[in-house]
Amino acid sequence: MTPLHVLDYAGVAVFAATGALAASRKQLDLVGFLFLAGVTGIGGGTVRDVILGLPVFWIRDHTYVLVCAAVAILVFLGAHRLESRYRLLLWLDAIGMSAYSALGAAKGLTATGSPVVAIVMGMLTATFGGIMRDLLANEPSVLLRPEIYVTAALAGATVFTLSDMAGFPEYASAILAFAAAFAVRGSALRYGWS
Amino acid sequence: MTPLHVLDYAGVAVFAATGALAASRKQLDLVGFLFLAGVTGIGGGTVRDVILGLPVFWIRDHTYVLVCAAVAILVFLGAHRLESRYRLLLWLDAIGMSAYSALGAAKGLTATGSPVVAIVMGMLTATFGGIMRDLLANEPSVLLRPEIYVTAALAGATVFTLSDMAGFPEYASAILAFAAAFAVRGSALRYGWS
Amino acid sequence: MTPLHVLDYAGVAVFAATGALAASRKQLDLVGFLFLAGVTGIGGGTVRDVILGLPVFWIRDHTYVLVCAAVAILVFLGAHRLESRYRLLLWLDAIGMSAYSALGAAKGLTATGSPVVAIVMGMLTATFGGIMRDLLANEPSVLLRPEIYVTAALAGATVFTLSDMAGFPEYASAILAFAAAFAVRGSALRYGWS
């Protein structure tokens, strides 16, 4: 597994966990957990692949779907023990968003060669799963929260694209991009940046 | 026409009717009826086809669009006579959801051969039209209502997939799946299961 | 540049401006302006191309993305000077919607040859960007506002399709369709039609 693969599964798993935590906050049943975990875990990547005209990733490899299902069941069994589910949701969301900003930029760059498209796809992939989760769960959208959010996704996507164009190997660009996005979003959460 | 074709047109027509009833509750004009009937009637199948990489069904056969338009006009002319439009909407929605859980699973299985993808596509197709209707009409989402909803879609999609894998002919699997989904959702509506 | 190209860039630019104005009303930061301008400017056309099975327009020509970014920055720098941003948003939205009703119908007709699909794609392309903007910005949906909206998009798409079928050149059909949609929507805004 390359670093991109690790980021991919990790991104799906933590986004799925945020979907399941949203289901927990709404007191849905197990199937509600599965549904919101699935939409959040694979939603952003689905939109990315459809727009790029690529085969949708989880149609070809349904391991991703099983990862979402496993995460949903684990959260269903354990979520009542967590005191502050919304806070945890925001931090897991930050990890998923950072992973996906790198991954979306990588896929966009491979598919089109255009840095502009790569940056847009990184932002879009990183933010879309969370936006769909908030819309479906009727929660305040991460997009409209005062803390810096889309900016962090933009930072990750831009760092990946610049690093890749500068000739760095893909794994290094992915790690740099993840670190950049997470540094921005994590600081915003920690220090209340807005 | 095979049973799958009957389910297909029936699903589009009843989902379109639920969209038109939502337009009626919001006191929209005729074009609002047409718009919400169209989005609800063909929305779930559109997302299904796009994700599976198939040509979108109503682009190739625009009978589906005309069915939605006819239903919208009928509801526009008659809806003021109905006393409890929201209750009727929920029951029609149950029929459409049940039909689409079978149909989505069938299309997913044909396109990919994967039971996991088939079950996911069945759930997704069955629930997405209703979710879009509720989002656009700013109504409480069926997804968050206390009664069992996504579970019924999951039951239908799973029954179709298992029955098909067990070697039953497609029409029998479709009928069994419709019956399973409708039994679960109908009971939930009738007895207030949650 | 043909009249269709002019309508295309103009539609993207004014829709992007409405997205940026929504960001301004929500007091988002510059990246929030960029995000909402992008989603609104290219969202409707993206859905159109995905449903028609065509390559998404801004993946092939990223000038569209740069137009959205430029508009977002201009609005970010100047929006605080505007007194009634929501009123301006509605009028710009009317221009974008009118342009896109012609353009969506033209693309639908070219891709499928079916007048029914052309009219549906015109309506869909014209209204979807604005619907996504309102959903994401948590504003009252243009779809549910009392003034005539979808009707104007339907008028534009229908005029384009009939004019094209009657043998008029494409530029004339586009101008007629734009005029028809804008006349209906503009009158609705000016005189409070509903």
Side-chain angles (χ1 to χ4, degrees), chain A residues 22-77:
Chain A
S24 169
R25 283 164 49 80
K26 293 291 169 179
Q27 304 189 291
L28 301 184
D29 58 14
L30 175 58
V31 181
F33 276 64
L34 290 167
F35 190 85
L36 277 180
V39 167
T40 315
I42 62 184
T46 302
V47 171
R48 175 198 64 207
D49 291 347
V50 164
I51 289 179
L52 289 173
L54 303 172
V56 173
F57 68 108
W58 55 272
I59 296 290
R60 294 205 297 183
D61 174 6
H62 59 239
T63 313
Y64 294 99
V65 175
L66 301 177
V67 166
C68 292
V71 167
I73 292 169
L74 285 176
V75 174
F76 182 73
L77 296 175

Side-chain angles (χ1 to χ4, degrees), chain A residues 25-193:
Chain A
R25 283 164 49 80
K26 293 291 169 179
Q27 304 189 291
L28 301 184
D29 58 14
L30 175 58
V31 181
F33 276 64
L34 290 167
F35 190 85
L36 277 180
V39 167
T40 315
I42 62 184
T46 302
V47 171
R48 175 198 64 207
D49 291 347
V50 164
I51 289 179
L52 289 173
L54 303 172
V56 173
F57 68 108
W58 55 272
I59 296 290
R60 294 205 297 183
D61 174 6
H62 59 239
T63 313
Y64 294 99
V65 175
L66 301 177
V67 166
C68 292
V71 167
I73 292 169
L74 285 176
V75 174
F76 182 73
L77 296 175
H80 57 281
R81 301 202 195 149
L82 301 170
E83 281 192 30
S84 173
R85 286 172 284 189
Y86 192 57
R87 196 78 196 154
L88 179 61
L89 183 157
L90 287 178
W91 279 97
L92 289 175
D93 182 273
I95 297 173
M97 184 272 289
S98 302
Y100 262 51
S101 70
L103 205 72
K107 266 218 169 181
L109 205 52
T110 306
T112 69
S114 155
V116 171
V117 170
I119 292 173
V120 172
M121 293 313 299
M123 266 177 77
L124 199 70
T125 311
T127 55
F128 216 83
I131 288 173
M132 284 172 73
R133 175 195 64 219
D134 295 342
L135 270 182
L136 293 183
N138 200 21
E139 302 242 297
S141 175
V142 282
L143 190 63
L144 300 180
R145 285 178 61 88
E147 299 103 2
I148 285 165
Y149 187 80
V150 188
T151 306
L154 178 61
T158 307
V159 165
F160 182 91
T161 305
L162 293 178
S163 167
D164 190 274
M165 290 173 72
F168 285 90
E170 197 171 57
Y171 76 89
S173 302
I175 292 170
L176 285 174
F178 178 88
F182 191 74
V184 173
R185 177 64 178 154
S187 303
L189 281 176
R190 178 71 185 75
Y191 303 109
W193 284 359

Side-chain angles (χ1 to χ4, degrees), chain C:
Chain C
M1 297 228 293
T2 67
L4 274 186
H5 275 108
V6 174
L7 280 187
D8 198 5
Y9 282 108
V12 167
V14 293
F15 267 140
T18 69
L21 286 170
S24 170
R25 284 165 49 81
K26 294 291 168 178
Q27 304 189 290
L28 301 183
D29 58 14
L30 175 57
V31 182
F33 277 64
L34 290 167
F35 189 86
L36 278 180
V39 168
T40 315
I42 63 185
T46 302
V47 171
R48 174 198 64 206
D49 291 346
V50 165
I51 289 179
L52 288 173
L54 303 171
V56 173
F57 68 109
W58 56 272
I59 297 290
R60 296 205 297 183
D61 173 6
H62 60 239
T63 313
Y64 293 99
V65 175
L66 301 178
V67 166
C68 292
V71 166
I73 292 168
L74 285 176
V75 173
F76 182 74
L77 297 175
H80 57 282
R81 301 202 195 149
L82 301 169
E83 282 192 30
S84 173
R85 286 171 286 188
Y86 192 57
R87 196 79 196 153
L88 179 61
L89 183 158
L90 287 177
W91 278 97
L92 289 175
D93 181 272
I95 296 173
M97 184 270 290
S98 302
Y100 262 52
S101 71
L103 206 72
K107 266 219 170 179
L109 204 53
T110 306
T112 70
S114 155
V116 170
V117 170
I119 292 173
V120 172
M121 293 313 298
M123 266 177 76
L124 198 70
T125 311
T127 56
F128 215 83
I131 288 172
M132 284 172 73
R133 175 196 64 219
D134 296 342
L135 270 181
L136 293 183
N138 200 22
E139 301 241 298
S141 175
V142 280
L143 191 63
L144 301 179
R145 285 179 60 88
E147 300 103 0
I148 286 166
Y149 187 79
V150 189
T151 305
L154 177 61
T158 306
V159 165
F160 182 90
T161 306
L162 293 179
S163 167
D164 190 275
M165 290 171 74
F168 283 90
E170 197 171 58
Y171 76 90
S173 302
I175 292 169
L176 284 174
F178 178 87
F182 192 74
V184 173
R185 176 65 178 154
S187 303
L189 282 176
R190 179 70 185 76
Y191 303 109
W193 283 0
S194 62

Side-chain angles (χ1 to χ4, degrees), chain B residues 16-142:
Chain B
T18 70
L21 286 170
S24 169
R25 283 164 49 81
K26 293 291 169 180
Q27 304 189 290
L28 302 183
D29 59 14
L30 176 57
V31 181
F33 277 64
L34 290 167
F35 189 85
L36 277 181
V39 168
T40 315
I42 63 184
T46 302
V47 171
R48 176 199 62 207
D49 291 347
V50 165
I51 289 179
L52 288 174
L54 303 172
V56 172
F57 68 108
W58 56 271
I59 296 290
R60 294 205 298 183
D61 174 6
H62 59 239
T63 313
Y64 293 99
V65 175
L66 300 178
V67 166
C68 292
V71 166
I73 292 169
L74 285 176
V75 173
F76 182 74
L77 297 176
H80 57 281
R81 301 203 195 148
L82 300 170
E83 281 191 31
S84 172
R85 285 171 286 188
Y86 192 56
R87 195 78 195 154
L88 179 61
L89 184 156
L90 287 177
W91 278 97
L92 289 175
D93 182 272
I95 297 173
M97 185 271 289
S98 302
Y100 262 51
S101 71
L103 205 73
K107 266 217 171 181
L109 205 52
T110 306
T112 69
S114 155
V116 171
V117 170
I119 291 173
V120 172
M121 293 314 298
M123 265 176 77
L124 199 70
T125 311
T127 55
F128 216 83
I131 288 172
M132 285 171 73
R133 175 196 63 218
D134 296 341
L135 271 181
L136 293 183
N138 201 22
E139 302 242 296
S141 175
V142 281

